[in-house]
Amino acid sequence: MVKSALVVEGGAMRGIFASGVLDTFMKKEFMPYDFAIGVSAGASNLIGYLSYAPQRSFDVITKLATHKRFFNPTRFARGGDLVDVKWLIEESNRRHPLISERLFSSIPMYAAVTNIDSGNADYYQVKESNLNNVLEATTALPIAYKSTPCFSGGCYTDGGVADSIPVKEAYRRGARDITVILSHPLSYEMKPARSPWLMTKLLARYPQIAQAMLVRAENYNQSLEFIRNPPEGTTIRVIAPPEDFAVKRLTMKSTALIEGYKMGESSGLNHLSSRDGTFGLNTENCHFCV
């Protein structure tokens, strides 16, 4: 039997799109996957999905991630965190308690983190014993979050630094039917860092992370190429925001976020319709469409 996987990209506030997609999946009780891999906000979205908590991710993004306790430019200017990741996780769990029995009896979930010593991605299976540690690590934006999460003998930063779209990791783990939820429209390609010298300076304490940031665009675009041209015998289905998706990494405007969420809901429905054959699409002609 062909193994299937769900991969969810991060992108900070752009994660609102995936939250809409996954809420639609929950409404339709759609979870045909053998395992899931998330990165940063994508991992947080998967937690809501796998624990069957509709609207959880929507509330976390629109109410908590827009709160000044989480996002605070003044605090950052004074030498503190631009984003307080630990507070966001703890407050999310306080306001929206997770049902552990449901979450951890679901399909296995992995989260990508970036190892500060190697600059490479590590992939942790999310378990009850490491949930908060892994979530903090995968969402620990370099520079914006001053803390360096350490656990299981390593120290980490945001998984998106080394592997923003872990589709190759899903393939490496045996998946040959992979669904990817992106946080950019299909036309997007990442451009190289504009000021490499500044990145190197800001991350002088972590030279391997600085190097990973400098090749991040290349790695990202290679993942897109893998999606567009999957290996023989592999089907990759993509759910991506429409071209007019207006949410940026740090968008805080509620109207834009709600519109992005609705786009996710719509794209989720379109994806389910395509899998049902409603649009006349199938695995032969739908490698890179919803």
Side-chain angles (χ1 to χ4, degrees):
M1 187 173 179
V2 176
K3 185 181 286 190
S4 63
L6 175 64
V7 174
V8 186
E9 183 184 1
M13 304 304 276
R14 290 192 188 97
I16 194 68
F17 175 80
S19 75
V21 174
L22 294 174
D23 273 359
T24 296
F25 284 8
M26 281 184 264
K27 288 175 187 175
K28 301 296 184 179
E29 298 184 354
F30 181 77
M31 192 186 292
Y33 311 107
D34 294 302
F35 65 92
I37 307 179
V39 184
S40 195
S44 179
N45 274 321
L46 278 175
I47 292 296
Y49 174 57
L50 298 181
S51 59
Y52 198 83
Q55 293 283 303
R56 184 184 196 271
S57 295
F58 174 82
D59 287 346
V60 168
I61 294 171
T62 61
K63 296 178 181 178
L64 299 183
T66 58
H67 196 287
K68 65 179 181 180
R69 182 66 179 81
F70 173 67
F71 177 71
N72 193 322
T74 301
R75 180 178 61 207
F76 185 62
R78 293 173 177 169
D81 294 320
L82 177 63
V83 293
D84 189 338
V85 170
K86 195 163 190 174
W87 176 85
L88 183 66
I89 294 169
E90 292 174 349
E91 189 66 10
S92 297
N93 291 339
R94 187 182 72 80
R95 296 196 190 188
H96 303 281
L98 292 166
I99 302 175
S100 296
E101 295 82 2
R102 183 175 289 167
L103 173 59
F104 298 108
S105 65
S106 187
I107 62 173
M109 173 190 162
Y110 302 88
V113 298
T114 303
N115 189 302
I116 66 168
D117 292 324
S118 68
N120 297 324
D122 291 339
Y123 306 90
Y124 277 97
Q125 183 173 350
V126 176
K127 301 178 180 179
E128 191 165 7
S129 60
N130 68 10
L131 174 62
N132 285 0
N133 284 335
V134 173
L135 277 182
E136 183 185 8
T138 192
T139 53
L141 293 169
I143 303 171
Y145 185 57
K146 306 295 185 182
S147 302
T148 304
C150 298
F151 62 97
S152 296
C155 295
Y156 307 96
T157 191
D158 192 299
V161 172
D163 193 359
S164 296
I165 316 172
V167 62
K168 292 181 182 178
E169 179 64 16
Y171 179 82
R172 189 187 71 81
R173 290 178 181 269
R176 295 299 179 265
D177 185 340
I178 306 170
T179 298
V180 182
I181 304 178
L182 297 176
S183 56
H184 289 281
L186 291 179
S187 62
Y188 177 78
E189 286 200 0
M190 187 176 287
K191 294 179 173 57
R194 281 182 284 185
S195 303
W197 65 269
L198 181 59
M199 189 68 66
T200 301
K201 181 177 180 181
L202 291 173
L203 292 168
R205 290 176 57 198
Y206 306 110
Q208 296 304 319
I209 297 302
Q211 180 58 31
M213 289 290 285
L214 294 179
V215 299
R216 182 171 178 240
E218 180 181 350
N219 290 338
Y220 187 96
N221 294 333
Q222 285 178 358
S223 293
L224 290 179
E225 184 61 24
F226 185 90
I227 290 169
R228 293 188 179 104
N229 297 285
E232 185 176 353
T234 301
T235 296
I236 299 183
R237 314 164 195 267
V238 176
I239 308 173
E243 294 298 325
D244 58 346
F245 181 64
V247 179
K248 308 299 181 187
R249 178 172 289 275
L250 295 177
T251 293
M252 297 291 155
K253 191 175 180 181
S254 61
T255 53
L257 292 171
I258 291 170
E259 181 63 24
Y261 175 80
K262 290 178 179 177
M263 289 178 175
E265 287 185 308
S266 177
S267 295
L269 284 173
N270 288 345
H271 177 77
L272 296 180
S273 296
S274 73
R275 292 187 68 135
D276 289 340
T278 305
F279 298 145
L281 300 172
N282 55 45
T283 56
E284 294 302 316
N285 61 14
C286 193
H287 285 305
F288 200 57
C289 59
V290 295

